[in-house]
Amino acid sequence: GQVFALDAASGCTSWSWKADAAVRTAVSVGFPPGSGPSPAVYFGDEKGAVYAVDAVTGKKLWKTQADDHPLVRITGSPTIYKDTLYVPVSAMDEGAEWDRTHPCCTFRGSVVAIDAATGRIRWKTYMVPRPAVALGRTNEAGTPLFGPAGAAIWAAPTVDPARGLVYAATGNAYNEAEEGDTNAIVALDMAMQNYARWSKR
């Protein structure tokens, strides 16, 4: 979870900063409106938190939780465009199924649009439209099974300013209760009326 800023000329460490969990994403850099002369760096951790840190001083500007699922993580880099950060949300819900007491699966992938200056969530769109419910059966250990679930977004979204769209690639459904935009390329309206413009499997 340690993030380092290195002097580009010498390679010496300018500052380091420790997140609350491991950091797997690349760091995105931007100048949000009102941020002053210093850029900010943005990244996510493996507990689903998104951070903004002053690129010059290493001071934390804000931290926002992208999702409250217990196994959520941010693996794709946040994409910044103008004053908005577009964050892909994934999880290890399906991967935890080795523990037969784990009630698989309830996670739904999403894209979260965050105000780059304040950390406030502007909108959030789930790739599976409705929350998981009990499927009325159990695994061999007697643990209830849930669905629909899945469509995690593991990679950075792509911004298309000319069309006003954000594109994201989704992962698989976690069980046969498949619903929503799994294994798809999805286009979302940047201005967001909370709907997908299109999806293509």
Side-chain angles (χ1 to χ4, degrees), residues 174-197:
Y174 290 167
N175 50 43
E176 70 274 14
E178 183 169 344
E179 187 174 311
D181 294 309
T182 59
N183 293 317
I185 305 297
V186 178
L188 302 174
D189 191 330
M190 289 170 65
M192 216 47 200
Q193 304 302 315
N194 211 34
Y195 63 90
R197 289 281 294 271

Side-chain angles (χ1 to χ4, degrees), residues 48-195:
V50 183
Y51 302 86
V53 175
D54 187 290
V56 175
T57 66
K59 175 186 176 182
K60 184 176 81 172
L61 302 175
W62 51 258
K63 172 188 173 184
T64 298
Q65 190 67 27
D67 194 275
D68 59 3
H69 192 280
L71 295 175
V72 66
R73 57 184 52 196
I74 310 298
T75 55
S77 303
T79 299
I80 186 166
Y81 178 69
K82 293 186 176 180
D83 62 350
T84 305
L85 201 65
Y86 299 96
V87 180
V89 183
S90 60
M92 287 300 292
D93 194 15
E94 182 184 36
E97 202 175 8
W98 62 269
D99 177 359
R100 305 312 284 164
T101 65
H102 172 66
C104 188
C105 286
T106 56
F107 172 77
R108 299 182 290 160
S110 64
V111 175
V112 182
I114 298 177
D115 185 301
T118 66
R120 179 180 62 87
I121 293 178
R122 289 179 167 162
W123 54 257
K124 178 175 184 175
T125 298
Y126 287 103
M127 301 297 104
V128 175
R130 66 183 178 96
V133 296
L135 297 178
R137 59 183 186 277
T138 64
N139 64 17
E140 65 274 15
T143 305
L145 299 176
F146 294 81
I153 302 177
W154 297 93
T158 298
V159 171
D160 183 350
R163 294 179 176 83
L165 299 177
V166 178
Y167 305 116
T170 68
N172 61 297
Y174 290 167
N175 50 43
E176 70 274 14
E178 183 169 344
E179 187 174 311
D181 294 309
T182 59
N183 293 317
I185 305 297
V186 178
L188 302 174
D189 191 330
M190 289 170 65
M192 216 47 200
Q193 304 302 315
N194 211 34
Y195 63 90

Side-chain angles (χ1 to χ4, degrees), residues 9-21:
S10 68
C12 294
T13 300
S14 299
W15 53 260
S16 66
W17 191 85
K18 185 169 178 56
D20 295 335

